[in-house]
Amino acid sequence: MASTSKVDLSGEDDDEQLERFDDFTLASSWERFISEIEAVCRQWLADGPNNLLEKGAVKLDFSQKLYKVKMELKYAMKSYNMEYYFETSSGGKIADGNSTLHDLQLCFGVKDFLVIAPQSASGVVLDSPEASKLLSAVAIALTNCSSLWPAFVPVHDPSRKAYIGIQNMGTVFTRRFEADRIGSQVPVRLMHLEGLYELFVSKFAYSTLDFAMHLCKVHFTMTSTYRTIHHDDDDLQSLGTEKEEHGDNHGNETRSRSQWDDDCPWSEWYSAEDPVKGLELTATWSEKTVESSLEMAELENASPHEAEKWMILPYLSPNLDSSEGNRIGFASQLRLLVDALNMSFDAQFMEDFVSAVENPGSDNLKSSMIVPPPTVLDRVFKDLFHEGSQVAAFAKGEHKISRAIKGAPFGSLFAQFCLHALWVGTCNIRAIAVLWIEFIREVRWCWEESQPLPKMQANGSIDLSTCLINQKLQMLAICIEKKCEMNEDFQDCVGSNDHTYDHMEEDSPVGDKTTNKQKHGDEFDGIQDSPLTKDGLHGSGTTTSRRSMKHGDILSTGLKSSDHNRRGSAGAVGSMKLLKSYQSMHAPFTQDAPLMTEDMHEERLQAVEAFGNSFSFSAQLEKDILSSDMSAFKAANPDSVFEDFIRWHSPGDWENDDNKESGPSKSPVTKGLKDDWPPHGRLSQRMSEQGNLWRKIWNDTPALPVYEQKPLIDPFREGEKILHYLETLRPHQLLEQMVCTSFRVSADTLNQTNFGGLKQMTTKMDQLYRTMASTLKPLQTNHVSGNSETIEDLRRLCVIFEHVEKLLTLASSLHRTFLQAPRLSETIFTDYYNFYLPRMGTGSTGSLEVDEKEFDVKYQVMTRERQCVSNMFTPPTANQSWRKVLSMGNLLNGHEPIVREIIFSVRDSLRNNHYAAHNPRGFQREIETYRMYICGTSNDLRVALSVTSCD
């Protein structure tokens, strides 16, 4: 009926009594109630979805495109909520597997609908006459509006999820809905497809006379959902707690069963929770036409592999996107290490933190800082100094940007110490102090007993790109090696082989036997700042030319009677001859240049600045090296002169008068031909100057082979200096280097993870290294103080590290799970990466909106990927399959569906219906006269029936 009453939909009721007038066509309060419903529906119809969104329609949490609006209505002293659910049309079609439907949409196949329910605690209508009256009122109102919306009223107990509903189909057809649920004691007949089919057929087989049974063809679709067995992570949590409290760094030895990450690089330090908690598989059988219950029995025995469509939904750990910070990993321990750094400024020596518990003002240390027990310390130092003490391949696990972080290299002694310190106790300052003091004792024992320092290279140059402690330990390892050589009778050993060397000088090449070093005279030569010569060489020879002259151009010559005084020769240098005696020039064995750590270089530069004349002072610093080389050259070439040494050591300071000079890069001089001897050349200007320092050193230097010279480096003195540095190191200086090293080696450890080469993960690791390099830079300059801004930056870096660690763990788990289906692992990780970006502060979406969502994306499984997914459903054990008697069929590797959804339907043509309007010839249209949605398991069954009738 037409209504002339006004309903204030905006909620504003000012002067309502003055504007309202009595309409005597409304005979009762029930009709007035219908009129109010009609007015609201007309307003919603007029607004449309877009305007309703602008007026504050609420988006449902579980759906991407379903919204609702609500209006309060009153009738007979009761209040009701009428809700209108509608979908927005999106630009692209959303896959059915990814769109979450409302319960009523799923049950009855509707799109937009109304729900009217009382404002009560239960939210349902318990009185059947009241429910029928409400539904009738809504149906009349919708008919007056010419609306085709279905309307529903919740009835019975809320746990039953029961509804009754009605829909005007536009002509003479009306559709009625009814849904109910059995929460327990499901009859055995209704657990099987055959019984469910008979239930559906019973709804119309003996009902209407105009429905011919011989034309009955039931359309059937089914979806079965399977879920992998959930792994129990209680043992993982207890294991992580035990490690944190007792410092157990070798939990692998005590595990009763293998964990998912046993072969992951971080498993040596902690066990991570598997981020992929399980998998849900949805197998969908497309629509089939069934005419008998026997066909349903055959379908129940069908394998899920026969289903036309597979969709999977990965269940990820809720801790992945949790911001509570209770996850155990490198990031959590690095956060504790930063706190220890903040406290390290309170004391002068590490021993102060160990003895602080005895001081009266150390209550904070007593209550919160746990010292590891002796058994844990023994296990730690057994791993550091006794097990696997061979030198590690440092560059094996390092990232390409890792060297930009000034810390110890991956696998080195100090790097392993820092990793152990992260997991000892609670990584507090007292535990670190105890560990450091014991570490120094072990290092001193290696020094005093002349035992090789484990996990350190005892040769090569000092890597100045690492932290100072690593440089000191590397130099100490070299000092121990030198100390061992000096403890042996090295002089007798070389003396016994000297005659052998004399014989080999003329008969065998020595390019591969020489132990000559790269000369540090380059630095000394360059100090004189000589100009370029005509040949394009500086006054001092380059490293390449000198190496080639000392090693590559050494040729064999014969032993002569005049060569008996030659000592310490490594062999002849090509065809070069001595200027005075025309004998072959021999390259000597020389000492290695003295190695220096970063602080020694700084002391040298400070001394240079203090002297003022840096050139002269630098020459003095190189005097010992140059003097050693000259002594060795004189011993190997008794008849040599200063010019011979220059031609060998610094060929750039020898200027030729013509192009006939013999040398490594010239044509060799033929034996016995002395027309061009001696060569026409001279010393460079700087070497010819009066009072030249090089000539003075040459004149003062005795002829001594390398084994008779005083070592350029005193291993005893340098070793004691290194130990003194380690023992008196300030706490904040130690913690600063530990923080840099811990971040670097923790990232290098994670970088070894095999995650299938995911591009997003590779990019994220690169970004992490760059962020660490910039954030840790202030720690390298010793400009950090307690509670400074740098400490806050380090804490923020820990948060970033945790995000990357979570993503890397997920990438590794997905790669392992879908090893034979890499497309799935890449797709799932890409979607989750984009979903997780806002939580890292790098996304464009607001964090408040994103935090309310969960990652629940479904993915279609290709045919070639089905076997990989099927293998994840391992056959259940005897304890897990105790309900096999109640099996529902359609088993997947022994797993029954956790839920099974079935839709039965019967369709009828409008042309065959007596009540349908006349249709043009050739036009055929079918309507769904009966539809039954069944969802359930052996303990739960829900049935929703819709019937279309002509009344």
Side-chain angles (χ1 to χ4, degrees):
M1 67 177 67
S3 174
T4 59
S5 63
K6 296 183 179 180
V7 177
D8 191 356
L9 301 180
S10 62
E12 300 178 1
D13 55 354
D14 296 342
D15 302 328
E16 182 180 359
Q17 298 298 330
L18 297 177
E19 296 181 6
R20 180 177 294 277
F21 62 91
D22 293 332
D23 186 349
F24 294 100
T25 60
L26 302 179
S28 65
S29 60
W30 184 65
E31 290 178 334
R32 185 182 294 273
F33 181 57
I34 294 175
S35 178
E36 292 180 355
I37 296 176
E38 179 184 343
V40 174
C41 292
R42 287 184 184 276
Q43 184 66 46
W44 285 342
L45 283 169
D47 287 338
N50 294 332
N51 290 333
L52 290 176
L53 291 178
E54 295 178 0
K55 291 184 177 182
V58 180
K59 182 180 179 181
L60 301 186
D61 296 336
F62 58 84
S63 178
Q64 297 293 330
K65 57 179 182 177
L66 189 62
Y67 295 80
K68 75 172 181 178
V69 290
K70 182 171 65 173
M71 179 61 67
E72 294 185 7
L73 301 171
K74 289 186 178 181
Y75 170 66
M77 305 301 293
K78 290 186 178 180
S79 297
Y80 297 92
N81 282 332
M82 186 170 68
E83 297 175 336
Y84 169 48
Y85 294 82
F86 64 95
E87 291 184 355
T88 57
S89 57
S90 56
K93 182 180 179 182
I94 300 177
D96 294 338
N98 289 344
S99 58
T100 305
L101 300 177
H102 188 275
D103 183 51
L104 294 176
Q105 291 177 318
L106 198 61
C107 289
F108 301 112
V110 296
K111 183 180 179 183
D112 300 341
F113 58 93
L114 290 175
V115 176
I116 185 166
Q119 291 183 352
S120 60
S122 62
V124 299
V125 181
L126 301 178
D127 186 12
S128 297
E130 180 186 0
S132 299
K133 197 170 185 178
L134 275 177
L135 194 60
S136 298
V138 177
I140 294 173
L142 291 175
T143 301
N144 293 338
C145 299
S146 300
S147 172
L148 302 182
W149 293 341
F152 299 94
V153 176
V155 295
H156 304 308
D157 186 81
S159 62
R160 291 171 61 174
K161 299 181 180 180
Y163 287 89
I164 59 173
I166 193 169
Q167 181 183 14
N168 176 24
M169 301 295 290
T171 54
V172 295
F173 293 100
T174 302
R175 195 177 184 188
R176 289 178 173 82
F177 307 97
E178 184 178 0
D180 207 344
R181 172 176 172 266
I182 303 176
S184 61
Q185 297 180 352
V186 178
V188 176
R189 183 175 67 91
L190 299 182
M191 295 181 190
H192 302 281
L193 296 180
E194 185 176 358
L196 295 174
Y197 171 81
E198 293 174 355
L199 173 66
F200 174 67
V201 172
S202 67
K203 297 298 179 180
F204 60 83
Y206 308 104
S207 57
T208 58
L209 298 176
D210 57 342
F211 202 99
M213 281 296 299
H214 64 277
L215 297 177
C216 173
K217 291 185 179 181
V218 177
H219 300 275
F220 162 82
T221 60
M222 181 175 67
T223 299
S224 296
T225 303
Y226 306 85
R227 185 176 296 172
T228 56
I229 299 174
H230 180 71
H231 296 289
D232 188 9
D233 291 318
D234 292 340
D235 53 345
L236 289 178
Q237 297 175 0
S238 61
L239 179 61
T241 304
E242 180 182 356
K243 284 186 176 184
E244 181 179 359
E245 294 179 355
H246 304 290
D248 189 353
N249 299 312
H250 297 277
N252 293 339
E253 301 174 0
T254 59
R255 294 179 184 175
S256 58
R257 65 180 179 87
S258 61
Q259 307 298 337
W260 76 275
D261 59 347
D262 275 345
D263 55 346
C264 290
W266 63 76
S267 61
E268 181 183 357
W269 309 104
Y270 67 94
S271 292
E273 177 190 11
D274 192 350
V276 182
K277 308 302 293 183
L279 195 69
E280 187 176 283
L281 168 65
T282 302
T284 302
W285 281 261
S286 61
E287 186 175 285
K288 303 178 184 297
T289 302
V290 183
E291 298 183 359
S292 68
S293 58
L294 293 178
E295 296 182 43
M296 301 303 301
E298 294 178 359
L299 284 172
E300 189 165 12
N301 295 325
S303 169
H305 287 275
E306 300 177 15
E308 283 74 15
K309 187 177 182 180
W310 276 24
M311 301 287 292
I312 59 170
L313 171 65
Y315 279 97
L316 305 183
S317 171
N319 294 329
L320 271 178
D321 55 357
S322 174
S323 59
E324 298 177 359
N326 55 358
R327 182 181 184 274
I328 300 299
F330 282 125
S332 63
Q333 304 309 111
L334 289 171
R335 189 179 294 110
L336 297 175
L337 184 62
V338 172
D339 294 338
L341 170 62
N342 194 31
M343 295 188 63
S344 65
F345 298 92
D346 299 337
Q348 295 293 322
F349 301 100
M350 294 302 293
E351 290 80 2
D352 296 340
F353 291 105
V354 178
S355 59
V357 71
E358 302 174 0
N359 299 332
S362 59
D363 295 337
N364 186 25
L365 293 176
K366 290 181 181 179
S367 59
S368 61
M369 300 193 175
I370 304 173
V371 175
T375 54
V376 173
L377 294 177
D378 292 342
R379 185 163 55 248
V380 169
F381 290 106
K382 180 181 179 182
D383 179 75
L384 285 175
F385 288 91
H386 301 290
E387 294 183 356
S389 59
Q390 66 275 9
V391 178
F394 294 159
K396 179 181 178 181
E398 287 189 346
H399 191 270
K400 58 184 179 181
I401 317 177
S402 179
R403 295 181 66 86
I405 303 172
K406 201 172 181 63
F410 181 80
S412 62
L413 180 60
F414 185 62
Q416 293 299 107
F417 168 83
C418 291
L419 285 176
H420 278 286
L422 291 176
W423 300 97
V424 169
T426 56
C427 193
N428 59 78
I429 189 65
R430 283 194 64 215
I432 294 174
V434 171
L435 199 66
W436 176 252
I437 293 172
E438 292 298 325
F439 178 78
I440 297 304
R441 290 177 183 173
E442 291 290 335
V443 172
R444 178 168 283 280
W445 181 87
C446 291
W447 164 253
E448 293 177 349
E449 298 298 327
S450 299
Q451 295 297 319
L453 203 59
K455 300 178 176 65
M456 294 302 299
Q457 295 179 346
N459 50 28
S461 59
I462 303 297
D463 188 356
L464 300 180
S465 67
T466 62
C467 63
L468 186 56
I469 293 179
N470 182 77
Q471 297 177 37
K472 294 291 185 182
L473 292 175
Q474 186 180 356
M475 189 166 184
L476 183 63
I478 296 174
C479 290
I480 293 175
E481 183 74 17
K482 295 291 184 182
K483 181 181 176 183
C484 293
E485 292 177 359
M486 295 180 67
N487 289 338
E488 298 174 356
D489 193 2
F490 181 72
Q491 182 175 355
D492 292 341
C493 177
V494 176
S496 63
N497 293 325
D498 187 63
H499 185 69
T500 305
Y501 282 131
D502 292 339
H503 284 279
M504 293 173 60
E505 288 169 356
E506 301 292 339
D507 299 329
S508 63
V510 295
D512 296 333
K513 300 178 183 179
T514 178
T515 60
N516 291 348
K517 62 175 182 61
Q518 177 183 347
K519 293 293 182 287
H520 283 248
D522 290 342
E523 299 179 14
F524 178 71
D525 298 336
I527 291 169
Q528 301 300 326
D529 195 22
S530 61
L532 286 171
T533 62
K534 291 186 298 182
D535 296 333
L537 296 174
H538 284 285
S540 61
T542 61
T543 302
T544 303
S545 62
R546 293 175 58 190
R547 277 186 174 177
S548 62
M549 297 179 78
K550 294 182 186 180
H551 298 280
D553 295 328
I554 298 177
L555 304 176
S556 61
T557 57
L559 182 65
K560 301 180 181 180
S561 58
S562 59
D563 293 339
H564 286 295
N565 294 329
R566 180 177 291 115
R567 295 176 298 167
S569 171
V573 183
S575 59
M576 293 184 67
K577 308 293 183 180
L578 299 179
L579 294 177
K580 300 299 182 182
S581 61
Y582 192 66
Q583 295 181 2
S584 296
M585 181 184 294
H586 285 249
F589 288 102
T590 57
Q591 293 194 57
D592 293 332
L595 302 176
M596 289 189 292
T597 57
E598 185 177 14
D599 59 335
M600 297 170 66
H601 281 285
E602 292 178 356
E603 292 176 2
R604 172 182 172 180
L605 293 177
Q606 291 174 2
V608 168
E609 294 176 358
F611 268 77
N613 187 355
S614 58
F615 297 112
S616 177
F617 183 75
S618 298
Q620 292 294 331
L621 292 176
E622 297 289 346
K623 179 178 178 181
D624 292 341
I625 302 175
L626 187 61
S627 177
S628 174
D629 291 347
M630 289 181 175
S631 295
F633 187 83
K634 282 185 175 183
N637 302 278
D639 299 329
S640 63
V641 293
F642 177 66
E643 285 76 6
D644 292 323
F645 178 78
I646 293 300
R647 292 167 59 217
W648 169 74
H649 190 280
S650 181
D653 283 310
W654 179 259
E655 299 177 357
N656 296 321
D657 290 340
D658 50 36
N659 295 328
K660 299 181 180 180
E661 166 67 1
S662 301
S665 59
K666 309 291 181 180
S667 57
V669 179
T670 309
K671 263 189 178 181
L673 186 60
K674 297 186 179 181
D675 295 340
D676 295 330
W677 196 260
H680 302 284
R682 61 183 180 276
L683 294 174
S684 64
Q685 181 179 358
R686 70 165 186 149
M687 291 297 175
S688 305
E689 292 176 352
Q690 186 69 23
N692 180 267
L693 181 60
W694 283 48
R695 185 178 292 276
K696 181 179 179 182
I697 296 175
W698 173 267
N699 295 333
D700 298 339
T701 298
L704 294 175
V706 64
Y707 51 84
E708 294 182 3
Q709 296 179 14
K710 178 182 177 181
L712 293 175
I713 179 174
D714 186 353
F716 298 95
R717 180 170 60 91
E718 294 298 331
E720 290 296 336
K721 287 173 62 177
I722 292 172
L723 290 171
H724 176 74
Y725 165 81
L726 298 175
E727 292 169 345
T728 59
L729 190 62
R730 295 295 180 88
H732 70 91
Q733 294 176 343
L734 170 63
L735 267 297
E736 287 170 358
Q737 298 183 62
M738 285 186 64
V739 168
C740 290
T741 299
S742 298
F743 271 102
R744 173 176 172 173
V745 296
S746 297
D748 285 339
T749 301
L750 296 178
N751 190 52
Q752 299 179 67
T753 306
N754 184 8
F755 49 81
L758 297 171
K759 294 182 180 179
Q760 297 93 339
M761 199 65 251
T762 303
T763 303
K764 211 64 192 174
M765 288 300 296
D766 293 345
Q767 294 175 355
L768 175 64
Y769 275 99
R770 292 188 175 93
T771 304
M772 288 193 303
S774 61
T775 305
L776 298 174
K777 206 167 188 178
L779 299 182
Q780 304 171 16
T781 57
N782 297 326
H783 291 159
V784 183
S785 59
N787 297 317
S788 65
E789 185 178 347
T790 303
I791 299 296
E792 295 303 320
D793 291 340
L794 291 175
R795 288 175 177 150
R796 285 189 288 268
L797 179 61
C798 292
V799 176
I800 297 175
F801 197 101
E802 182 178 11
H803 289 316
V804 178
E805 190 174 13
K806 287 179 180 180
L807 289 175
L808 188 67
T809 307
L810 174 63
S812 176
S813 180
L814 288 174
H815 176 65
R816 294 162 178 268
T817 304
F818 299 100
L819 191 60
Q820 303 302 323
R823 184 195 66 87
L824 285 174
S825 63
E826 294 176 5
T827 305
I828 295 173
F829 182 80
T830 299
D831 289 345
Y832 186 83
Y833 179 83
N834 296 329
F835 168 81
Y836 192 75
L837 274 183
R839 289 158 174 78
M840 301 182 67
T842 57
S844 58
T845 308
S847 59
L848 294 178
E849 179 183 354
V850 175
D851 288 341
E852 298 176 356
K853 298 190 302 183
E854 294 182 359
F855 184 76
D856 54 355
V857 184
K858 290 186 177 181
Y859 302 90
Q860 185 171 355
V861 181
M862 301 298 180
T863 304
R864 64 180 182 274
E865 299 167 337
R866 289 191 177 188
Q867 189 59 45
C868 173
V869 174
S870 176
N871 293 338
M872 301 176 195
F873 293 83
T874 56
T877 62
N879 294 332
Q880 296 166 345
S881 58
W882 61 273
R883 290 184 353 178
K884 284 194 296 184
V885 179
L886 304 177
S887 175
M888 298 165 55
N890 302 120
L891 300 182
L892 176 62
N893 295 343
H895 294 261
E896 69 175 10
I898 60 170
V899 63
R900 182 171 58 187
E901 298 174 273
I902 302 170
I903 297 178
F904 293 110
S905 63
V906 174
R907 300 174 189 144
D908 188 19
S909 174
L910 291 177
R911 294 186 60 188
N912 299 330
N913 195 287
H914 173 73
Y915 298 99
H918 177 71
N919 295 319
R921 180 176 298 180
F923 176 79
Q924 293 185 2
R925 179 187 172 190
E926 288 186 339
I927 61 171
E928 201 172 55
T929 53
Y930 287 87
R931 181 185 190 273
M932 179 178 285
Y933 170 81
I934 303 171
C935 176
T937 62
S938 56
N939 292 326
D940 188 358
L941 183 67
R942 189 177 187 192
V943 179
L945 176 67
S946 62
V947 179
T948 303
S949 59
C950 303
D951 51 19

